[in-house]
Short mmCIF file of all heavy atoms in Angstrom, two decimals:
data_model
loop_
_atom_site.label_atom_id
_atom_site.label_comp_id
_atom_site.label_asym_id
_atom_site.label_seq_id
_atom_site.Cartn_x
_atom_site.Cartn_y
_atom_site.Cartn_z
N THR A 16 1.35 9.16 0.57
CA THR A 16 2.12 10.37 0.29
C THR A 16 3.03 10.72 1.47
O THR A 16 2.79 10.33 2.60
CB THR A 16 1.18 11.56 0.03
OG1 THR A 16 0.30 11.70 1.14
CG2 THR A 16 0.37 11.34 -1.25
N SER A 17 4.07 11.52 1.16
CA SER A 17 5.00 11.98 2.18
C SER A 17 5.32 13.45 1.92
O SER A 17 6.17 13.76 1.08
CB SER A 17 6.28 11.13 2.15
OG SER A 17 7.22 11.60 3.10
N LEU A 20 8.09 20.68 3.64
CA LEU A 20 8.53 21.92 3.03
C LEU A 20 10.05 21.87 2.89
O LEU A 20 10.74 21.41 3.80
CB LEU A 20 8.13 23.13 3.88
CG LEU A 20 6.64 23.35 4.09
CD1 LEU A 20 6.42 24.55 5.01
CD2 LEU A 20 5.92 23.58 2.76
N LYS A 22 13.31 24.36 2.06
CA LYS A 22 13.80 25.72 1.88
C LYS A 22 15.05 25.71 1.00
O LYS A 22 16.01 25.00 1.26
CB LYS A 22 14.12 26.35 3.23
CG LYS A 22 14.61 27.79 3.15
CD LYS A 22 14.92 28.33 4.55
CE LYS A 22 15.46 29.74 4.48
NZ LYS A 22 15.82 30.26 5.84
N ASP A 48 -1.24 11.97 -20.33
CA ASP A 48 -2.39 11.66 -21.17
C ASP A 48 -3.61 12.46 -20.70
O ASP A 48 -4.02 12.34 -19.54
CB ASP A 48 -2.69 10.17 -21.12
CG ASP A 48 -3.88 9.81 -21.99
OD1 ASP A 48 -3.75 9.86 -23.23
OD2 ASP A 48 -4.95 9.50 -21.43
N ALA A 52 -5.97 12.04 -17.34
CA ALA A 52 -5.95 13.14 -16.36
C ALA A 52 -7.36 13.50 -15.90
O ALA A 52 -7.55 13.97 -14.77
CB ALA A 52 -5.26 14.37 -16.96
N ALA A 64 0.47 27.08 -30.59
CA ALA A 64 0.24 28.31 -31.34
C ALA A 64 -0.15 29.48 -30.45
O ALA A 64 0.17 30.63 -30.72
CB ALA A 64 -0.85 28.09 -32.40
N ASP A 72 5.52 41.51 -27.08
CA ASP A 72 6.50 40.91 -27.98
C ASP A 72 7.92 41.14 -27.52
O ASP A 72 8.82 40.36 -27.82
CB ASP A 72 6.34 41.49 -29.40
CG ASP A 72 5.05 41.00 -30.05
OD1 ASP A 72 4.52 39.97 -29.60
OD2 ASP A 72 4.58 41.65 -31.01
N SER A 73 8.13 42.22 -26.76
CA SER A 73 9.48 42.53 -26.29
C SER A 73 10.00 41.46 -25.35
O SER A 73 11.20 41.26 -25.21
CB SER A 73 9.51 43.90 -25.58
OG SER A 73 8.67 43.88 -24.44
N GLY A 78 14.59 35.95 -29.08
CA GLY A 78 14.51 34.93 -30.10
C GLY A 78 14.13 33.56 -29.58
O GLY A 78 13.99 32.61 -30.34
N GLU A 79 13.92 33.40 -28.28
CA GLU A 79 13.55 32.11 -27.73
C GLU A 79 12.08 31.82 -28.03
O GLU A 79 11.24 32.71 -28.09
CB GLU A 79 13.76 32.10 -26.21
CG GLU A 79 15.23 32.20 -25.79
CD GLU A 79 15.39 32.11 -24.29
OE1 GLU A 79 14.36 31.92 -23.60
OE2 GLU A 79 16.52 32.22 -23.81
N PHE A 87 -6.67 23.47 -18.55
CA PHE A 87 -7.37 22.36 -17.92
C PHE A 87 -8.86 22.64 -17.92
O PHE A 87 -9.30 23.75 -17.59
CB PHE A 87 -6.88 22.16 -16.48
CG PHE A 87 -5.48 21.64 -16.38
CD1 PHE A 87 -4.41 22.50 -16.32
CD2 PHE A 87 -5.25 20.27 -16.37
CE1 PHE A 87 -3.11 22.02 -16.21
CE2 PHE A 87 -3.96 19.77 -16.27
CZ PHE A 87 -2.88 20.65 -16.20
N GLY A 90 -14.79 21.86 -16.08
CA GLY A 90 -16.25 21.77 -16.20
C GLY A 90 -16.87 23.12 -16.48
O GLY A 90 -16.99 23.53 -17.63
N THR A 93 -12.25 27.04 -16.63
CA THR A 93 -10.98 26.48 -17.08
C THR A 93 -9.85 27.01 -16.21
O THR A 93 -9.97 28.06 -15.57
CB THR A 93 -10.68 26.85 -18.54
OG1 THR A 93 -10.64 28.27 -18.69
CG2 THR A 93 -11.72 26.26 -19.48
N LEU A 94 -8.76 26.27 -16.18
CA LEU A 94 -7.55 26.66 -15.47
C LEU A 94 -6.45 26.82 -16.50
O LEU A 94 -6.12 25.85 -17.20
CB LEU A 94 -7.18 25.61 -14.43
CG LEU A 94 -5.87 25.83 -13.65
CD1 LEU A 94 -5.94 27.12 -12.85
CD2 LEU A 94 -5.63 24.63 -12.71
N ASN A 95 -5.92 28.03 -16.61
CA ASN A 95 -4.96 28.32 -17.68
C ASN A 95 -3.54 28.50 -17.16
O ASN A 95 -3.33 28.91 -16.01
CB ASN A 95 -5.39 29.60 -18.42
CG ASN A 95 -6.79 29.49 -18.99
OD1 ASN A 95 -7.12 28.55 -19.70
ND2 ASN A 95 -7.65 30.45 -18.63
N GLU A 102 10.53 17.27 -19.94
CA GLU A 102 11.48 16.26 -20.44
C GLU A 102 10.86 14.90 -20.23
O GLU A 102 10.45 14.54 -19.12
CB GLU A 102 12.81 16.37 -19.70
CG GLU A 102 13.87 15.43 -20.27
CD GLU A 102 15.23 15.63 -19.63
OE1 GLU A 102 15.47 16.72 -19.06
OE2 GLU A 102 16.04 14.69 -19.69
N VAL A 103 10.78 14.13 -21.31
CA VAL A 103 10.10 12.84 -21.29
C VAL A 103 10.66 11.92 -20.21
O VAL A 103 11.88 11.76 -20.07
CB VAL A 103 10.21 12.16 -22.67
CG1 VAL A 103 9.60 10.76 -22.62
CG2 VAL A 103 9.50 13.00 -23.73
N ALA A 131 10.02 0.45 -9.98
CA ALA A 131 9.08 1.36 -9.32
C ALA A 131 9.50 2.79 -9.67
O ALA A 131 10.56 3.03 -10.24
CB ALA A 131 9.06 1.14 -7.82
N THR A 137 5.86 19.33 -6.63
CA THR A 137 6.32 20.55 -5.96
C THR A 137 5.42 21.73 -6.30
O THR A 137 4.90 21.84 -7.41
CB THR A 137 7.76 20.92 -6.35
OG1 THR A 137 7.85 21.09 -7.78
CG2 THR A 137 8.74 19.84 -5.91
N PRO A 155 -3.84 19.71 0.97
CA PRO A 155 -4.80 18.60 1.02
C PRO A 155 -5.40 18.27 -0.35
O PRO A 155 -5.64 17.11 -0.66
CB PRO A 155 -5.87 19.12 1.99
CG PRO A 155 -5.11 20.07 2.88
CD PRO A 155 -4.13 20.75 1.97
N ARG A 166 -4.32 5.51 -7.83
CA ARG A 166 -5.41 4.54 -8.03
C ARG A 166 -5.65 4.31 -9.52
O ARG A 166 -6.01 3.19 -9.93
CB ARG A 166 -6.68 5.04 -7.35
CG ARG A 166 -6.60 5.03 -5.82
CD ARG A 166 -7.94 5.26 -5.15
NE ARG A 166 -7.82 5.20 -3.70
CZ ARG A 166 -7.70 6.26 -2.92
NH1 ARG A 166 -7.71 7.49 -3.44
NH2 ARG A 166 -7.57 6.11 -1.61
N LEU A 168 -3.43 4.10 -11.63
CA LEU A 168 -2.39 3.14 -12.02
C LEU A 168 -2.69 1.74 -11.47
O LEU A 168 -1.90 0.82 -11.67
CB LEU A 168 -1.04 3.61 -11.48
CG LEU A 168 -0.48 4.90 -12.11
CD1 LEU A 168 0.74 5.37 -11.33
CD2 LEU A 168 -0.14 4.67 -13.58
N TYR A 184 -1.15 19.19 6.73
CA TYR A 184 -0.57 20.26 5.91
C TYR A 184 -0.55 21.62 6.61
O TYR A 184 0.08 22.55 6.11
CB TYR A 184 -1.31 20.35 4.58
CG TYR A 184 -0.89 19.25 3.62
CD1 TYR A 184 -1.52 18.02 3.62
CD2 TYR A 184 0.18 19.46 2.75
CE1 TYR A 184 -1.11 17.01 2.78
CE2 TYR A 184 0.59 18.44 1.90
CZ TYR A 184 -0.05 17.23 1.92
OH TYR A 184 0.38 16.23 1.08
N SER A 202 30.91 16.68 6.53
CA SER A 202 31.23 15.27 6.66
C SER A 202 32.36 14.87 5.74
O SER A 202 33.27 14.14 6.11
CB SER A 202 29.98 14.42 6.36
OG SER A 202 30.29 13.04 6.39
N SER A 207 38.13 13.76 4.90
CA SER A 207 39.37 14.12 4.26
C SER A 207 40.45 14.39 5.29
O SER A 207 41.60 13.95 5.15
CB SER A 207 39.18 15.35 3.36
OG SER A 207 40.40 15.77 2.80
N GLY A 215 49.59 11.01 7.63
CA GLY A 215 50.71 11.59 8.36
C GLY A 215 51.26 10.63 9.40
O GLY A 215 52.46 10.51 9.60
#
Side-chain angles (χ1 to χ4, degrees):
T16 55
S17 177
L20 298 177
K22 181 181 178 182
D48 180 71
D72 290 339
S73 62
E79 294 183 2
F87 290 90
T93 59
L94 176 61
N95 303 307
E102 185 174 339
V103 175
T137 58
R166 292 191 178 98
L168 293 170
Y184 282 88
S202 176
S207 176

